[in-house]
Amino acid sequence: MKLSLVVPCYNEEENVELFYNEVVKSFKGENFKYEIIFINDGSKDETVTILKDIASNSKENIKIINFSRNFGKEAGMYAGLKESSGDYVSIIDADLQQHPSLVLEMLNILEGNPEHDSVAAFQEKRKDPFFKRIFSNLFYKIINKISDIEFVPGASDFRLLNRNMVNAILEMSEYYRFSKGIFSFVGFNTYYIPYEAEKRAHGSSKWSFWGLFKYAIEGIVAFTTAPLRIATFIGILISLIAFIYLLILVIQTIALGIAVPGYASTLGAVLLLGGIQLFALGIIGEYLGRTYVETKRRPIYIAKEVIDNNKKQ
Ligand code: UDP
Ligand code: MG
């Protein structure tokens, strides 16, 4: 049996060596082979130098996929899965918020229960700030209502997958990747275990509030076309109201003669309708823009070098 660890790294110079040491310590004495695949996602610090040092000094099988620029964690995970050769593949962060020894627990679960294809860790108690919590709850409520697949609140990318599931994910080669959706879209049986994220060993999270907001929109646009129907529904509703209003006007005019024209109500209607139309156009634009980019079939990532310390040059 062979295990692959997929580790996306972006500006993790202070963490990668600690991470590597923890892995070696945790996996010592286990009777399986393993490889660690580090993805250097265009780090601007010394991450790649340190990774190369680790690869040349390590007795373990280390691979480095060195991206030509920052492509984002989603692209990193895809690249890692693609380069992986293990029967089981785990996606894990480089910042030690997720301890490598948990991978062993996940492995036990998968090996003991052949009916499960993957184990995913979800954060039971999140120490997120108040607003982030509210928005994330809202996001899960909305997306679960309007999309056909299930999004599990708090589920992280920290997972162990079997080869079948990895291959299925690799089949999904879309440019705009939203892994939480992809993991559920491919189906299979996932077993969820709670875990408590530890504090980041060094550095700070790469997620800003705005970044998360854009990511949420990404998820909605990637996994449901329901927003496109908003315009249809609002259109039908407004047409109905307008029709009833017209009827009332006709009856009023016949019964009471020409009424005094209302400037405010006309302006109000024009502005309201203008706003709704722009909103609807915006939604169409979101989808159209993504369709445009997807049709270019651009690569998800570009690696300037791939290093494998087992294949000595
Ligand atoms: N990461 C990456 N590319 C990016 C941003 C992040 O590869 O553009 C990596 C990062 O190095 C870390 C993991 O993704 O290993 C999770 O990132 P982070 O710790 O910032 O996220 P959080 O734990 O706060 O969700
Ligand atoms: Mg982190």
Side-chain angles (χ1 to χ4, degrees), residues 7-12 39 41 70-73 76 92-95 97-98 132 200 204-207:
V7 196
C9 310
Y10 177 53
N11 294 345
E12 302 282 7
I39 300 94
D41 186 12
N70 179 256
F71 280 88
K73 187 186 175 189
I92 183 167
D93 289 352
D95 55 12
Q97 285 192 285
Q98 306 157 343
K132 197 173 160 192
R200 223 172 194 289
S204 59
S205 168
K206 274 96 198 169
W207 288 105

